Amino acid sequence: MENSKSIAGEEQIIQDLLPRKFKNSGKILVYILSAFCLVGIYAYYRQLRYGLIVTHMRDYVSWGIYISNFVFFVAISLVGSLITAVFRLAGVKWGSPLTRIAEMIAVAAIIFASIIIIVDMGSPERFYNLFLYGRIQSPIIWDVIVITTYFFISILLLYYPLLPDLQILLRFKEKSGPRLHKFYSYLGSFWKGSHKQYLLSKKAINALCIAIIPVAFTIHTVTSWLFATTYRPGWDSTNFGAYFIAGAFLVGAGAVVVAMYIFRKWYGLEKYITLDHFDKMGRVLVLLCLLYLYFNVNEFLTPFFKMKESEAGYLNDMFSGSFAPVFWFAIFTGIILPIIILLFKKGRKPLPMFIVGIMVVVGAWFKRYLIVTPTLLHPFMPMHDVPASYHHYFPSWEEWAITMGSLAGAILIIVALCRVFPIIPIQETINEHHETAK
Amino acid sequence: MKLLNKILFGSLSLLFLLPGYNAFAQTADKGSVSVAVSYFNANNKIPYVVVKVKTKVNGKFQNVGGIPLKLSLNKDSEGTLIGKVVTNEQGEATAIIPQSLKKEWSSTVKHTFIAAFAGNAKYDSTSTSLTVSKAKILIDTTSSRSVVATVMELKDTTWTPVKGVDVVLAIRRLGSDLNINETATFATDSTGKASGDFKRDSIPGDLKGNITLVAKVLDNDTYGNLFIEKKVHWGSKFVSKANDFNARTLFATRAKAPVWLMVIATGIIIGVWTVLILLVQNILKIKKLGNEA
């Protein structure tokens, strides 16, 4: 009797978690995202044809919105290691329904981090020179190596836990259709769920979880060193690696919260992504906000206290000058308000959490912009005889279009992955169901 | 009709007046330049002249580049032409006395250099001249490390010592010249000699300790600019400090990366990628197990 109940429960889980075809709203979202991508591709075509002159990057601001976006993507990709690896190794069981979402976000973000850095280069046909003539002493080379490694680990960490789910998906040929069935078959028809296979897979996932943490820390530390190894106001900091990692965990967790809410609503996953998940993610988020706030205080208070002449222009511009609205928006919207909201239990309900998640992600994007642009506008050694327009930077429409296109592209990858694969690991949920039943 | 005629007449008058006004305005806008000529004789060899052109803008002198000048010796004629020059961004132009003027040069002990600017759209024409007497300067040193300079003027066919000429005795350095002691200038006596003691004992020289002494007569009204150099063995030997230009450093070229960095970086890359390759191999193992089942 109990056994038949368990099988019925198992079938229910499978039916609930199988990937589904998009409804009209889903299709509209795909069209809108595709339109953004196409405009971005056209803008990139213009950049390739006419050169980087179509951007508003000049001698002062030579790293503009592209590099801000790159740092944002690298930051958000770190969530894969937080939810999958840190939670798994720390024995946090409640996080398992979120692992697939986190990995999908990580893969999408790291793909676009790589793309956007090539966009910033201006001449992609010269990319191979980085490998031919790159210096191992340069953080740029470290970044290239570590991004490639992280991408590979993220793909493996998405793939290994998928194997048992692929076996389940292959049972539903009518639902998935011939094309997807063929794809599933190619990816995982060999998985039979034997004990030996299970042991090998478990061992591999554990190895990946251990490997991804130092690589994830390295990827963002190295990205921070791209700045910190350059002698400029605002970047000349020993705090940068830890400051970047804290910010990356925060934005990644914020993105997961946003995705949790949307997928829960879209697919009716209230049974699997529960209020408890939101409450616990809220606690994680508030902890990360507090940590990031601490690093921000460290990063800005000591230079503000000293107010060195060479850094005064940059600091005043951030605190009370032309960048002040963006700076205080990023601090309040991305850190302080989330802390205040999330400290209350009501603030950790799905809708407030969703809003907080968006605030954190948007605030984080502007924070990356502030890390790059104001510093470049205030070098220690000002340039002589440059046109007045070089002293200001506002991205051109091509830069905005490419940036928006890349953000849309990353979301499109996540949407495509959730159309093809289960958002919540089916086999893991079944296993947990059995454990709870016992 | 009358009104139309008036308008037509008025318009035509304005039309004719405009070019006139324009031309007038151009004349009024023309500035003036001042041209200065300096004569130089280095080491008693080929003499040359330097012209400098300036203009006054808002009460301040500014150098004027791109000004064409005709330089002549003694009289403004084709036969005595030193050369045609154009000033550079610093408003300067240089011309050496050509071989073709050797006869003219030898014919007299006094020479006049004439610089003439024909004028252009921006500046009025102008000319200036400088008259100098032929002179030479000699340099010698004593065993007690004194520097002796002798200034002589050519009178008829004889070199005669000149009294009362200010001479600078210095050492050639990279940026500018350094006086041999605290005295700025030394005046020549009745024998045409000016001497000063060398007080820069520890000054670095070249690899062998050589330094270059120089005796200079600067902007003299009668003789222009004369200078002569002499190499002496009075400096300390230059010892090149060890530098890390070609060493393995973080800022060196690709081929000169520090060994420790290469070992650590390569070690990490090999370590991590070995794990990843093993994990890919693990997938193949799982696949094999599945196919066997």
Side-chain angles (χ1 to χ4, degrees):
Chain A
M1 182 70 180
E2 261 188 29
N3 195 28
S4 62
K5 240 185 182 180
S6 173
I7 291 168
E10 205 177 300
E11 279 308 309
Q12 186 59 47
I13 291 170
I14 293 171
Q15 288 304 323
D16 287 346
L17 299 182
L18 278 179
R20 287 167 231 173
K21 282 185 180 170
F22 290 141
K23 291 176 193 165
N24 281 343
S25 56
K27 284 177 185 167
I28 290 168
L29 177 71
V30 170
Y31 291 141
I32 292 171
L33 292 172
S34 305
F36 269 104
C37 289
L38 287 174
V39 175
I41 290 168
Y42 173 67
Y44 186 50
Y45 155 75
R46 278 181 53 80
Q47 186 181 299
L48 283 179
R49 181 165 181 186
Y50 301 109
L52 278 171
I53 195 73
V54 301
T55 71
H56 282 170
M57 291 188 285
R58 296 291 183 266
D59 291 15
Y60 262 86
V61 178
S62 51
W63 283 357
I65 198 172
Y66 293 155
I67 296 294
S68 315
N69 209 29
F70 162 73
V71 179
F72 174 77
F73 277 131
V74 172
I76 216 163
S77 73
L78 236 66
V79 74
S81 65
L82 173 75
I83 304 283
T84 316
V86 177
F87 279 16
R88 193 184 284 263
L89 292 174
V92 180
K93 288 271 180 197
W94 63 265
S96 52
L98 312 177
T99 50
R100 183 85 29 91
I101 296 174
E103 275 311 317
M104 285 175 177
I105 293 173
V107 167
I110 203 71
I111 288 172
F112 272 89
S114 322
I115 291 173
I116 208 76
I117 204 81
I118 295 171
V119 167
D120 184 71
M121 285 172 67
S123 288
E125 74 278 5
R126 295 182 194 165
F127 185 66
Y128 69 95
N129 285 327
L130 208 61
F131 300 97
L132 285 181
Y133 306 109
R135 297 162 59 246
I136 194 71
Q137 301 99 306
S138 163
I140 289 175
I141 286 294
W142 307 344
D143 219 30
V144 171
I145 294 167
V146 86
I147 283 176
T148 316
T149 311
Y150 190 75
F151 171 71
F152 202 69
I153 294 179
S154 295
I155 290 283
L156 285 176
L157 208 44
L158 182 67
Y159 181 63
Y160 264 108
L162 255 177
L163 286 170
D165 287 0
L166 287 169
Q167 191 196 20
I168 296 167
L169 292 171
L170 281 167
R171 278 165 44 198
F172 297 90
K173 190 178 178 182
E174 307 80 43
K175 235 182 170 182
S176 51
R179 273 190 195 171
L180 266 184
H181 184 80
K182 207 174 171 186
F183 181 58
Y184 294 148
S185 179
Y186 173 73
L187 286 179
S189 61
F190 54 85
W191 181 265
K192 305 294 176 199
S194 70
H195 184 64
K196 275 186 178 174
Q197 280 186 322
Y198 172 74
L199 282 180
L200 281 175
S201 168
K202 196 182 169 190
K203 216 169 102 183
I205 292 171
N206 281 340
L208 281 167
C209 287
I210 294 165
I212 201 170
I213 296 171
V215 175
F217 271 66
T218 312
I219 189 175
H220 219 49
T221 306
V222 165
T223 303
S224 80
W225 287 352
L226 292 178
F227 301 96
T229 51
T230 314
Y231 188 53
R232 280 175 178 274
W235 292 354
D236 186 29
S237 163
T238 53
N239 190 28
F240 244 44
Y243 168 59
F244 266 51
I245 287 171
F249 278 147
L250 174 63
V251 62
V256 166
V257 168
V258 174
M260 272 165 70
Y261 181 84
I262 293 172
F263 289 137
R264 187 175 184 259
K265 273 267 168 202
W266 249 14
Y267 292 108
L269 300 173
E270 285 82 359
K271 258 165 60 187
Y272 305 95
I273 303 174
T274 62
L275 293 180
D276 190 48
H277 284 114
F278 278 95
D279 186 67
K280 282 179 171 146
M281 272 309 286
R283 287 164 197 259
V284 171
L285 210 54
V286 81
L287 175 75
L288 293 170
C289 279
L290 285 166
L291 188 69
Y292 193 45
L293 181 67
Y294 166 74
F295 277 112
N296 269 278
V297 171
N298 258 292
E299 194 54 37
F300 290 107
L301 189 67
T302 44
F304 175 74
F305 190 83
K306 288 180 280 187
M307 201 50 94
K308 285 187 273 186
E309 200 181 335
S310 54
E311 294 188 349
Y314 156 76
L315 289 169
N316 287 328
D317 216 10
M318 290 276 271
F319 296 142
S320 54
S322 56
F323 286 102
V326 187
F327 177 75
W328 293 114
F329 170 80
I331 295 288
F332 275 94
T333 313
I335 308 171
I336 293 173
L337 281 177
I339 293 173
I340 295 168
I341 295 168
L342 295 174
L343 281 176
F344 297 96
K345 197 166 175 60
K346 276 187 180 173
R348 299 196 293 271
K349 298 279 180 215
L351 185 63
M353 280 284 289
F354 171 64
I355 295 166
V356 164
I358 289 178
M359 283 162 62
V360 164
V361 172
V362 173
W365 192 90
F366 281 104
K367 194 75 177 51
R368 274 39 184 199
Y369 184 75
L370 289 169
I371 287 170
V372 178
T373 306
T375 288
L376 290 171
L377 286 171
H378 296 280
F380 284 125
M381 290 275 281
M383 293 174 199
H384 288 280
D385 301 327
V386 289
S389 62
Y390 286 21
H391 292 277
H392 307 280
Y393 171 71
F394 190 78
S396 66
W397 80 260
E398 284 91 348
E399 286 173 273
W400 280 118
I402 290 170
T403 304
M404 292 299 167
S406 69
L407 291 168
I411 299 172
L412 204 58
I413 288 182
I414 298 167
V415 170
L417 287 172
C418 82
R419 168 65 192 90
V420 178
F421 301 119
I423 309 154
I424 294 173
I426 302 175
Q427 190 59 54
E428 263 186 70
T429 314
I430 291 170
N431 294 346
E432 274 174 27
H433 173 72
H434 287 313
E435 277 175 31
T436 321
K438 277 177 193 172
Chain B
M1 193 66 186
K2 255 186 171 177
L3 183 68
L4 191 69
N5 277 341
K6 277 181 182 175
I7 291 169
L8 197 68
F9 179 74
S11 304
L12 282 172
S13 308
L14 197 68
L15 211 66
F16 283 115
L17 274 173
L18 275 175
Y21 172 78
N22 195 29
F24 177 74
Q26 276 184 3
T27 313
D29 281 343
K30 264 194 171 186
S32 60
V33 290
S34 71
V35 181
V37 185
S38 305
Y39 165 79
F40 287 83
N41 191 329
N43 294 317
N44 304 319
K45 289 179 181 168
I46 300 170
Y48 61 94
V49 284
V50 174
V51 279
K52 186 154 180 106
V53 180
K54 289 179 181 178
T55 188
K56 219 171 190 179
V57 177
N58 298 328
K60 287 179 181 172
F61 277 112
Q62 280 187 0
N63 302 325
V64 188
I67 298 290
L69 293 151
K70 202 170 102 176
L71 301 174
S72 311
L73 185 66
N74 297 335
K75 56 180 184 277
D76 188 4
S77 72
E78 280 304 310
T80 58
L81 183 72
I82 298 172
K84 288 177 179 173
V85 291
V86 178
T87 56
N88 61 16
E89 282 176 359
Q90 280 77 46
E92 286 181 356
T94 305
I96 58 167
I97 313 298
Q99 185 72 22
S100 56
L101 294 181
K102 193 178 177 185
K103 200 177 170 189
E104 181 75 21
W105 182 255
S106 309
S107 63
T108 172
V109 294
K110 270 192 179 182
H111 291 292
T112 301
F113 301 98
I114 303 159
F117 167 50
N120 61 16
K122 266 179 103 177
Y123 300 105
D124 285 328
S125 61
T126 186
S127 69
T128 191
S129 64
L130 172 78
T131 302
V132 291
S133 297
K134 272 188 195 171
K136 69 177 180 182
I137 186 166
L138 304 172
I139 188 166
D140 205 359
T141 53
T142 66
S143 55
S144 58
R145 292 203 168 182
S146 284
V147 183
V148 183
T150 311
V151 179
M152 289 188 282
E153 181 186 351
L154 188 63
K155 286 187 173 166
D156 297 326
T157 54
T158 319
W159 288 102
T160 314
V162 189
K163 188 186 173 188
V165 177
D166 284 334
V167 180
V168 175
L169 300 175
I171 311 152
R172 285 273 195 236
R173 306 306 291 167
L174 197 63
S176 61
D177 296 337
L178 176 72
N179 288 342
I180 58 164
N181 59 35
E182 297 306 317
T183 311
T185 56
F186 302 85
T188 54
D189 58 17
S190 55
T191 60
K193 290 185 191 305
S195 66
D197 294 332
F198 182 83
K199 300 277 188 191
R200 311 280 183 189
D201 289 332
S202 58
I203 197 158
D206 61 13
L207 289 171
K208 291 176 183 171
N210 292 323
I211 55 168
T212 305
L213 297 172
V214 60
K216 301 186 284 189
V217 173
L218 299 174
D219 284 332
N220 188 284
D221 292 340
T222 316
Y223 310 114
N225 298 276
L226 312 168
F227 64 86
I228 189 159
E229 292 171 352
K230 186 181 184 186
K231 210 168 235 187
V232 290
H233 192 64
W234 291 354
S236 61
K237 283 180 185 174
F238 173 77
V239 182
S240 70
K241 286 179 189 166
N243 68 68
D244 48 16
F245 177 74
N246 210 23
R248 287 186 177 276
T249 54
L250 283 172
F251 46 84
T253 56
R254 175 190 166 96
K256 292 281 176 186
V259 175
W260 62 264
L261 180 72
M262 284 163 70
V263 170
I264 291 172
T266 316
I268 292 171
I269 293 166
I270 291 173
V272 173
W273 277 92
T274 305
V275 173
L276 295 182
I277 290 164
L278 287 174
L279 289 173
V280 173
Q281 210 180 10
N282 201 47
I283 295 173
L284 299 175
K285 266 187 198 171
I286 293 172
K287 200 172 181 178
K288 201 178 167 190
L289 281 172
N291 292 336
E292 282 170 4

